[in-house]
Amino acid sequence: MIPRAPRRSFLLAWFGLLVLALGIALAQHPAYGGTLAAASAQPTTSTIGDSVPGLGDLDVRGHVLPTAAQRSAAGTLGAVDLRWNQFGTPASILPADGSLGAETSSDPVTAARSWLAAHAAVFGRTPAQMRALSLVSDQRLARSPARAVLFRQEFGGLAPALDSMVTVGVARGQIAYVSSSLTRTTGTPPGATMSPLTGWLKAAANVGRAVPSTSLADITQSVSGGWTRLHVPGFAQEQQVRLRSLAMADGSVRPVFEANVVDVAQGSAFAYTVMVDAVTGQVLHRQNQVDNSSDVYPFSGEITADACGPRHEFELTDDQTKSIVATAAMANTLDDIVVKIFAPNGDLLASADTGTSPEAATYTADSIPKGIYSMQVCPFTDPTVPFTPPGNYAAGVATSDQSSGTPSTGFEPRWRYFTANPSLGSLGTTRPGNSVIGCWTAASGCTSPTGPFVTVAEPGPWDTDIRTGLPTLTTVGNNATTHEAWGSPLTPGGTEQAPISPTRDYTEPFTDAWNNSRCDPTNLHPGGNDINAVVTNLFVSHNRMHDYAYYLGFTEKNYNLQQDNMSRGGTGGDPEIGNAEAGGLTGGAPTYEGRDNANQIALQDGVPGITNQYLFQPIAGSFYSPCADGALDMTVVGHEYTHAISNRMVGGPDEGLTSAQGGAMGESWSDLNAMEYLFSHHYSTGVSPSVIGPYATGNFTTGIRDYDL
């Protein structure tokens, strides 16, 4: 804010980071042409990209239609919504009037079984077969006398691994609903000819986790609870396998080993349940048991200074793919990482190291065969900056069937921010409710009063690394790089926290912890003091100022702040470095060096500008501000950003403003530009638009000055 910090004192400290950020080493390996299982003879359809969050689910049980006799029998049910399953029996029967018939017994199980026997023809079965179904459960619904009665088929004494069940809803003396996965199968499965261990090994190989022959002797087995339990080298968890039956749509029934292949370690979630034919070894069914909030960036894990994270498997389902892009973002973006892509046979296809994080590796070929590939995140072996925990990362894969262009991640970014500042009334004890959701393009749930952020001046959304065209998944982009800086009032430090979102949803709510706790420094712990919300707000504010100033002439030719100038002039490599809550831990009592201020370090074109936004709190005998966060006051952030504008546009690419008079004019220009930004967008601070810093200072009349403008 005032006074402006010296321009050159931090040049050497940041020069190392600049060189690190610009160092690019991309290793591209020869095209992979491995042979895989023959593709189906059916025509293929080219798609823009495959969905690759792990392996796709597999089901080869087939489909069959209901018979004419079944359809005729269904017609006697009256007005119902009836849907058929893949086995040609009703998936659901929902009556229009709420009743499929009256109970024939006060016992729900007896009533349900009687209804099924009476309507066996709808299921393509006989009354005797329906009466022979095994009872699984009779559950009373919560806060209701209604019951859900569940039955299942059994084949040769073997319980089914999947489906072959029917649920009957009984309520208020009526049969209210029926759903089923019953099959018309009546056969008996042949005996298993392989061991449970062999079945599990085939399942593991199917999901890309084949166990080396040298490790087989180290596998231990035990049997309990109906499962064969395995302890397998290289897997963090116990593995389970058991013999079951699996009914096929064609009327046959197979013995299968139901195998769980699980490995959850270092933040990575890997779990599949696979049905392996216990005679032929064929995989008949496979299900990914990990439910991800994102289908594009579902992977997460952890690395250390000398150990890679786990390999994350993904599947290409056709031979049309021409490019694979694997991306990873570290919780600590200064940790230098290498991202690798592996072929189904384990060969390394591509690796990339562009300095720190986020990181992206790309593999391209005229045609990449379908199969199970994997990506991995590893620490760089000789980093310029020592590895600093935490080693957590978010990662993922995108593919394209086009020979050029960047695969789409499938998510548009959105950010929670304050247009001007949190409501001034919240400086008491209430939580501000005036934050908005800003989106790159118009979408549901976006509440920014001026509409979407997209602009023709930008090569992509604010969280995009334009070197790869992929999102950084955090508050890093072409115009701004924003993190927490608790450890130093003048330089980045602390744990350098920033939000990471695989779905590009940076909307963590602001709880006003600093204000409501009366400036309690114990809030300054990882994830505390609203740090993710504050970092997001500062990142958005810097990008808003960048785009606003761009249309007023602060472009690449006039030495603006960007990582990549896209050959439009000037020197790149200088996004605005935003330090939120600078010196939060070290700048409190007794020096208060990290309180009640803000500053901008406007270095030469090509060297990142640095802004420090501080926490505000009352200091006895000095300055009595509220417990506020300067990074949330747009007049303060806009003021500081304008110092970079005026130093470069007036002073030139290398010199900046000089003399006391130049500095005084710079202060005035910064006040005026911050005020004009809010006024032109109809954003209100809650007081006169000519007051700079009303939220941060708590002075609603003159703000940071002796007089308002």
Side-chain angles (χ1 to χ4, degrees):
M1 203 178 293
I2 51 173
R4 182 169 61 85
R7 299 183 63 250
R8 301 183 187 276
S9 59
F10 300 99
L11 177 60
L12 293 179
W14 279 98
F15 183 74
L17 295 179
L18 174 65
V19 172
L20 185 64
L22 294 179
I24 299 177
L26 177 64
Q28 181 67 49
H29 296 260
Y32 171 69
T35 58
L36 300 166
S40 169
Q42 296 178 352
T44 58
T45 301
S46 295
T47 57
I48 296 301
D50 297 314
S51 178
V52 291
L55 310 186
D57 291 343
L58 175 71
D59 187 351
V60 300
R61 290 176 293 171
H63 292 76
V64 65
L65 296 175
T67 65
Q70 287 178 266
R71 293 184 183 275
S72 176
T76 66
L77 295 174
V80 298
D81 180 355
L82 191 153
R83 304 187 182 191
W84 303 95
N85 60 37
Q86 73 185 87
F87 308 109
T89 63
S92 66
I93 307 175
L94 180 64
D97 62 0
S99 175
L100 291 170
E103 288 181 342
T104 57
S105 171
S106 60
D107 174 37
V109 175
T110 302
R113 199 184 296 274
S114 296
W115 189 94
L116 290 173
H119 298 87
V122 179
F123 296 84
R125 299 175 61 80
T126 67
Q129 290 169 342
M130 298 303 268
R131 293 192 185 95
L133 294 173
S134 299
L135 177 66
V136 177
S137 63
D138 172 21
Q139 296 286 345
R140 180 175 178 176
L141 303 186
R143 299 184 180 182
S144 170
R147 315 286 292 204
V149 185
L150 177 63
F151 302 96
R152 73 178 174 194
Q153 298 170 281
E154 290 195 4
F155 307 98
L158 286 179
L162 294 170
D163 298 321
S164 300
M165 294 187 176
V166 59
T167 299
V168 180
V170 183
R172 299 183 179 90
Q174 304 292 319
I175 304 299
Y177 177 73
V178 175
S179 66
S180 91
S181 57
L182 293 176
T183 69
R184 301 196 296 256
T185 302
T186 59
T188 300
T193 60
M194 66 177 62
S195 68
L197 174 58
T198 300
W200 184 89
L201 291 171
K202 289 184 178 294
N206 179 260
V207 296
R209 299 298 296 272
V211 177
S213 58
T214 54
S215 299
L216 296 180
D218 297 323
I219 298 175
T220 61
Q221 304 182 48
S222 63
V223 178
S224 64
W227 292 94
T228 296
R229 303 178 184 276
L230 308 173
H231 292 273
V232 184
F235 289 80
Q237 281 76 34
E238 173 191 86
Q239 312 298 303
Q240 303 92 21
V241 58
R242 64 184 178 182
L243 184 63
R244 284 290 188 265
S245 60
L246 189 66
M248 311 295 283
D250 64 3
S252 64
V253 58
R254 301 298 304 170
V256 294
F257 282 115
E258 179 183 5
N260 292 328
V261 185
V262 182
D263 194 15
V264 180
Q266 297 180 306
S268 174
F270 180 95
Y272 292 88
T273 297
V274 184
M275 307 298 167
V276 179
D277 191 301
V279 176
T280 67
Q282 180 185 3
V283 171
L284 302 179
H285 191 277
R286 179 182 66 220
Q287 183 174 358
N288 188 340
Q289 301 287 28
V290 180
D291 293 323
N292 294 292
S293 60
S294 162
D295 280 341
V296 178
Y297 289 91
F299 303 134
S300 62
E302 181 181 359
I303 65 172
T304 64
D306 54 9
C308 297
R311 290 195 185 185
H312 302 287
E313 287 81 4
F314 59 93
E315 185 174 22
L316 302 185
T317 58
D318 58 41
D319 297 326
Q320 310 300 311
T321 305
K322 291 182 171 59
S323 70
I324 302 171
V325 178
T327 305
M330 295 294 297
N332 179 5
T333 58
L334 289 183
D335 284 340
D336 196 353
I337 59 174
V338 180
V339 173
K340 301 177 181 181
I341 300 173
F342 295 92
N345 64 0
D347 289 348
L348 180 64
L349 296 179
S351 64
D353 168 42
T354 57
T356 54
S357 167
E359 188 65 79
T362 302
Y363 174 71
T364 61
D366 291 338
S367 177
I368 304 176
K370 66 179 181 179
I372 299 171
Y373 293 73
S374 62
M375 69 158 292
Q376 187 177 39
V377 180
C378 295
F380 187 64
T381 55
D382 188 22
T384 304
V385 177
F387 178 89
T388 303
N392 304 91
Y393 62 82
V397 177
T399 69
S400 177
D401 293 351
Q402 299 176 337
S403 57
S404 62
T406 301
S408 170
T409 63
F411 296 100
E412 289 289 334
R414 58 181 60 209
W415 300 266
R416 182 183 297 277
Y417 73 103
F418 294 97
T419 57
N421 47 253
S423 56
L424 298 181
S426 70
L427 291 173
T429 58
T430 62
R431 175 176 167 179
N434 62 322
S435 65
V436 298
I437 303 296
C439 303
W440 189 248
T441 57
S444 175
C446 303
T447 59
S448 180
T450 50
F453 292 135
V454 63
T455 168
V456 296
E458 296 284 3
W462 291 336
D463 65 342
T464 301
D465 182 345
I466 68 170
R467 297 171 298 177
T468 64
L470 292 172
T472 64
L473 315 178
T474 186
T475 48
V476 173
N478 200 47
N479 311 324
T481 296
T482 314
H483 294 84
E484 159 264 309
W486 288 343
S488 170
L490 294 175
T491 58
T495 58
E496 297 192 81
Q497 300 168 95
I500 293 179
S501 174
T503 58
R504 308 173 79 181
D505 190 313
Y506 314 101
T507 59
E508 184 170 318
F510 177 68
T511 67
D512 210 7
W514 184 247
N515 173 57
N516 292 335
S517 68
R518 298 293 184 263
C519 312
D520 185 352
T522 62
N523 285 304
L524 300 171
H525 57 79
N529 215 46
D530 294 306
I531 190 59
N532 284 338
V534 171
V535 168
T536 297
N537 194 88
L538 184 58
F539 177 75
V540 171
S541 298
H542 283 156
N543 277 284
R544 292 160 66 197
M545 288 301 298
H546 170 277
D547 292 356
Y548 173 70
Y550 195 96
Y551 285 101
L552 296 178
F554 190 43
T555 63
E556 295 87 354
K557 290 182 179 180
N558 289 320
Y559 326 117
N560 72 349
L561 301 165
Q562 291 181 180
Q563 177 63 40
D564 192 316
N565 283 1
M566 299 165 286
S567 301
R568 296 175 180 173
T571 304
D574 55 353
E576 175 80 333
I577 304 296
N579 297 332
E581 300 182 358
L585 282 172
T586 60
T591 67
Y592 294 103
E593 188 177 15
R595 297 291 187 272
D596 300 356
N597 197 7
N599 51 52
Q600 174 74 36
I601 303 167
L603 298 172
Q604 298 87 345
D605 188 27
V607 180
I610 306 168
T611 189
N612 294 291
Q613 296 293 336
Y614 298 86
L615 292 167
F616 280 67
Q617 72 178 77
I619 301 174
S622 177
F623 182 68
Y624 292 90
S625 72
C627 296
D629 197 314
L632 303 178
D633 193 322
M634 188 61 186
T635 61
V636 174
V637 177
H639 171 102
E640 299 305 335
Y641 194 92
T642 304
H643 278 307
I645 298 174
S646 59
N647 269 277
R648 290 195 175 180
M649 291 192 72
V650 177
D654 300 318
E655 188 64 22
L657 294 172
T658 59
S659 80
Q661 290 85 355
M665 288 189 289
E667 290 296 329
S668 180
W669 289 331
S670 286
D671 284 358
L672 181 62
N673 195 47
M675 180 187 74
E676 288 288 352
Y677 172 78
L678 295 180
F679 186 78
S680 64
H681 288 83
H682 305 287
Y683 297 148
S684 174
T685 61
V687 295
S688 167
S690 59
V691 176
I692 304 299
Y695 174 76
T697 65
N699 186 324
F700 302 162
T701 304
T702 61
I704 63 174
R705 303 300 181 200
D706 293 329
Y707 305 93
D708 67 0
L709 293 178

